[in-house]
Amino acid sequence: MNAKSLATAALGACLVFLLGAAFFFRHSAQEANAAADRLAQDRAAADSGLHRAQEKIAAAGHDIAELRSALSTEPQNNPAALPAVRIAPQLDRRALLALMESDPKLYALAMKVFRTNVAEQYAPLFRALNFTPDQIDKFETLSTQHTSTLVDIMFSANQQGVPLSDPAVTTLIQQENAQFTSAQQALLGDAGEQQLQQFNRAAPVMGVVRQVASAVALSSNPLTAPQADQLAQILASSSSNYQGGGNATQGTINWPAALGQAQGILTPTQFAALQGQYAQTQVNQLRVQFAKQEKGTP
Amino acid sequence: MTLKAQAAEQTRLELLAEAEASKQAALAAANGPNAGQAGAAGTSGAQAKAGAPVWDPRAEGQKFLNTFPQARALSMQVGAATALRIFAPFMRAENLTPGQIEQFENLVASTWTNNLAVTPTQIGAVVGTPTLDQLSQVVGDQGAEAFEAYEQSMRYPYQFTAFAATAASLAGTPLSDAQNDQIAQIIANNTAPYQTVTNTLGPANWNAAAGAVNWNAAIAQVQAALPPAQFDAVQGELQRLQLNGAAGRAQQNQAQANP
């Protein structure tokens, strides 16, 4: 494992915090590394500027601060490569991390928000598992502490000038992941574990559902919780990836089929909002295509 | 592919999907109509720092529409949805008829589409507000004035409220129109004056607006106004906005300290 890939693993650890996907916490350092590495490959393919920055980093010693600094100047040609942050969607996630590192109050607020995010995101799962308030509290605490620990490891390494590729740091991350995995398994049990995985497979489409809900939130037709559940199910089951046992990613949704089904459960206003979301997806795809065509030739 | 490799691949796909959703959410929230006047709009600092070619976003926007003619109709759909998202309280307050609502949404959407700007990373409108004359034709002179007032003082408070309303709906404890109005007014009452910027596609105005709110006071007042179950549902979104504002302020301070 080279230093670059370990550095991207660190980036993966950041994504853990920022995206709040608890299942991701379960991954070992190697798994996180593999995912982050592939993400980095996509990014490099889409953005030569970032690719040059990565090469520069690799040559310069793979320090996390340098990684963050170099990445922060990237043109962000590939929006998918640079997730905006659900926890604070208007902010660049690297900027947020840097701010957290220098501002304890902000760090504390971010952790508070993260915990609330876990509570919101996994509320349907808690209901399905008939979790008691005590179990919910434990789940949220575990997730938040795990994230906090990973971020602390990254910050500590950065402050001490130790690259994340350092074996000592890698070991710490692996130990933390193992402890979290063990604690979560103990809390959920085997059946709960399976339901968590199933829940996480459908989770990506909740972004679409929230967008639709947000679009009509102040209208006379707000989306109800049962409608949201039904819409999520329609979108997930329309995903070829989900049908194949994978995650219900937006890019794999058969939109015409999903729209056809959704029309039956949504009011005209809500349906227009869903169509708007689909249109937004299409516009964004065209923009990415356009940006590739225009690259260097404006 | 091993199970671990599959998990990693799934993670990657989810990250990409989530990224796309978040990006769109951010842009929809930040770059809806009325982002300011055109010019060298949307050229990001990151773009300039990276030494990338500087785009003329408006020219690129027109080129984009010419290159992909189907984008115009799509943009109109997005614009209508965005208009509903941002201006629903205004439409309700003005008692617009269904016909007026359709006209209003189309007017906003066409204004947005006609002023589309594209950068390597973003797409949005740099001029999103119809003129008062255009508005008057749809909602009358008084309606146009009310729209102007809404734009100046209530647009962001209601956009912030929409996040809370979304959370409440999804938690099964929806807010009433009166409660939405009350929350928006609380946020507006706890907002200090702030400067907006023009010539931008980014979330600067959103961050400035979020950063100008005294969220501790606002959240306390919202808590006093809502039943506990509803407050439990919305407080996470309000805290998220508080974080957004605090981080936006810190980012701005850093930028001013290190120009």
Side-chain angles (χ1 to χ4, degrees):
Chain A
M1 186 178 292
N2 61 32
K4 175 190 164 191
S5 59
L6 278 167
T8 53
L11 193 57
C14 300
L15 294 173
V16 170
F17 160 69
L18 295 167
L19 295 176
F23 81 101
F24 187 74
F25 303 163
R26 303 288 308 277
H27 290 177
S28 66
Q30 288 83 2
E31 288 167 332
N33 176 56
D37 219 357
R38 286 190 183 89
L39 198 58
Q41 286 168 12
D42 287 347
R43 184 183 296 135
D47 180 351
S48 62
L50 174 60
H51 183 67
R52 287 195 296 275
Q54 287 175 324
E55 288 178 344
K56 181 182 171 188
I57 295 161
H62 324 297
D63 176 82
I64 183 60
E66 188 172 356
L67 172 70
R68 191 180 298 136
S69 172
L71 291 178
S72 70
T73 62
E74 66 201 353
Q76 305 185 13
N77 279 349
N78 179 4
L82 289 167
V85 183
R86 162 94 181 105
I87 202 169
Q90 303 299 329
L91 292 170
D92 178 274
R93 58 191 167 81
R94 292 182 186 83
L96 179 59
L97 275 171
L99 290 169
M100 283 168 52
E101 190 172 8
S102 60
D103 187 340
K105 283 185 181 172
L106 208 58
Y107 180 103
L109 179 59
M111 284 301 150
K112 197 168 152 185
V113 171
F114 175 80
R115 183 175 178 124
T116 309
N117 192 29
V118 171
E120 286 177 6
Q121 186 171 340
Y122 288 92
L125 179 71
F126 299 152
R127 287 195 293 269
L129 293 173
N130 287 319
F131 259 23
T132 64
D134 184 53
Q135 287 172 307
I136 292 172
D137 182 68
K138 280 179 181 167
F139 186 96
E140 293 172 6
T141 301
L142 271 177
S143 301
T144 307
Q145 284 179 345
H146 177 58
T147 298
S148 176
T149 301
L150 287 177
V151 173
D152 285 348
I153 290 171
M154 188 185 72
F155 286 172
S156 295
N158 187 34
Q159 285 162 8
Q160 294 170 31
V162 178
L164 292 182
S165 54
D166 189 293
V169 179
T170 309
T171 301
L172 279 176
I173 292 173
Q174 287 172 337
Q175 286 175 345
E176 171 55 29
N177 283 336
Q179 285 176 9
F180 175 70
T181 299
S182 173
Q184 196 173 61
Q185 281 176 341
L187 178 64
L188 291 172
D190 289 341
E193 182 76 13
Q194 283 186 345
Q195 281 187 269
L196 174 66
Q197 287 174 10
Q198 182 74 7
F199 181 83
N200 282 330
R201 283 182 55 225
V205 300
M206 279 309 294
V208 178
V209 176
R210 288 195 80 90
Q211 278 301 297
V212 173
S214 173
V216 298
L218 299 181
S219 75
S220 54
N221 290 277
L223 202 68
T224 66
Q227 281 179 311
D229 290 343
Q230 283 179 286
L231 181 56
Q233 188 54 47
I234 286 171
L235 293 171
S237 60
S238 300
S239 157
S240 56
N241 206 38
Y242 186 81
Q243 290 166 0
N247 285 0
T249 54
Q250 276 193 58
T252 61
I253 291 172
N254 179 343
W255 275 97
L259 286 169
Q261 292 179 58
Q263 196 161 16
I265 64 156
L266 301 178
T267 67
T269 301
Q270 294 166 343
F271 186 66
L274 180 63
Q275 286 180 310
Q277 182 65 24
Y278 178 39
Q280 177 74 67
T281 303
Q282 291 173 288
V283 167
N284 208 49
Q285 287 170 346
L286 292 176
R287 182 196 60 73
V288 172
Q289 195 178 332
F290 181 71
K292 284 178 183 170
Q293 288 178 12
E294 289 293 286
K295 198 169 187 178
T297 61
Chain B
M1 190 180 278
T2 65
L3 285 176
K4 283 187 176 181
Q6 278 181 338
E9 178 63 14
Q10 285 173 8
T11 298
R12 186 184 73 88
L13 290 171
E14 177 160 349
L15 293 177
L16 291 171
E18 183 77 16
E20 190 62 24
S22 300
K23 182 76 177 179
Q24 287 174 18
L27 290 177
N31 301 331
N34 195 32
Q37 296 298 313
T43 304
S44 70
Q47 185 186 357
K49 284 178 194 172
V54 176
W55 288 27
D56 176 347
R58 290 199 72 184
E60 293 296 328
Q62 288 308 305
K63 196 172 176 182
F64 173 74
L65 290 174
N66 291 336
T67 305
F68 300 108
Q70 70 272 36
R72 185 171 291 277
L74 293 170
S75 176
M76 286 294 291
Q77 269 192 313
V78 175
T82 306
L84 176 66
R85 180 198 306 269
I86 297 175
F87 299 117
F90 163 76
M91 293 190 270
R92 173 167 51 82
E94 292 302 306
N95 289 315
L96 299 191
T97 65
Q100 282 179 310
I101 289 173
E102 187 177 348
Q103 279 185 295
F104 176 80
E105 289 179 351
N106 283 337
L107 175 60
V108 173
S110 62
T111 304
W112 188 54
T113 301
N114 291 335
N115 292 282
L116 201 64
V118 175
T119 74
T121 59
Q122 297 182 17
I123 186 166
V126 284
V127 178
T129 304
T131 65
L132 283 179
D133 282 347
Q134 290 173 317
L135 283 164
S136 291
Q137 289 175 22
V138 176
V139 298
D141 290 345
Q142 282 190 334
E145 285 177 20
F147 177 84
E148 204 171 21
Y150 179 89
E151 268 291 288
Q152 287 174 358
S153 61
M154 295 308 292
R155 172 180 170 156
Y156 284 109
Y158 269 115
Q159 282 194 256
F160 298 151
T161 300
F163 281 93
T166 301
S169 291
L170 295 183
T173 57
L175 302 175
S176 65
D177 286 345
Q179 286 176 314
N180 286 327
D181 291 343
Q182 192 177 12
I183 293 173
Q185 197 57 57
I186 286 172
I187 293 172
N189 291 345
N190 285 287
T191 301
Y194 62 93
Q195 286 191 325
T196 56
V197 294
T198 56
N199 301 338
T200 182
L201 273 178
N205 286 334
W206 173 278
N207 286 337
V213 178
N214 178 344
W215 285 107
N216 284 330
I219 290 171
Q221 290 169 34
V222 169
Q223 184 171 17
L226 296 182
Q230 284 183 319
F231 179 71
D232 284 348
V234 306
Q235 71 168 328
E237 290 299 332
L238 298 177
Q239 287 170 347
R240 218 186 311 278
L241 289 163
Q242 182 178 20
L243 174 65
N244 200 146
R249 265 200 316 275
Q251 211 168 19
Q252 194 176 25
N253 292 340
Q254 281 191 357
Q256 286 171 351
N258 304 296

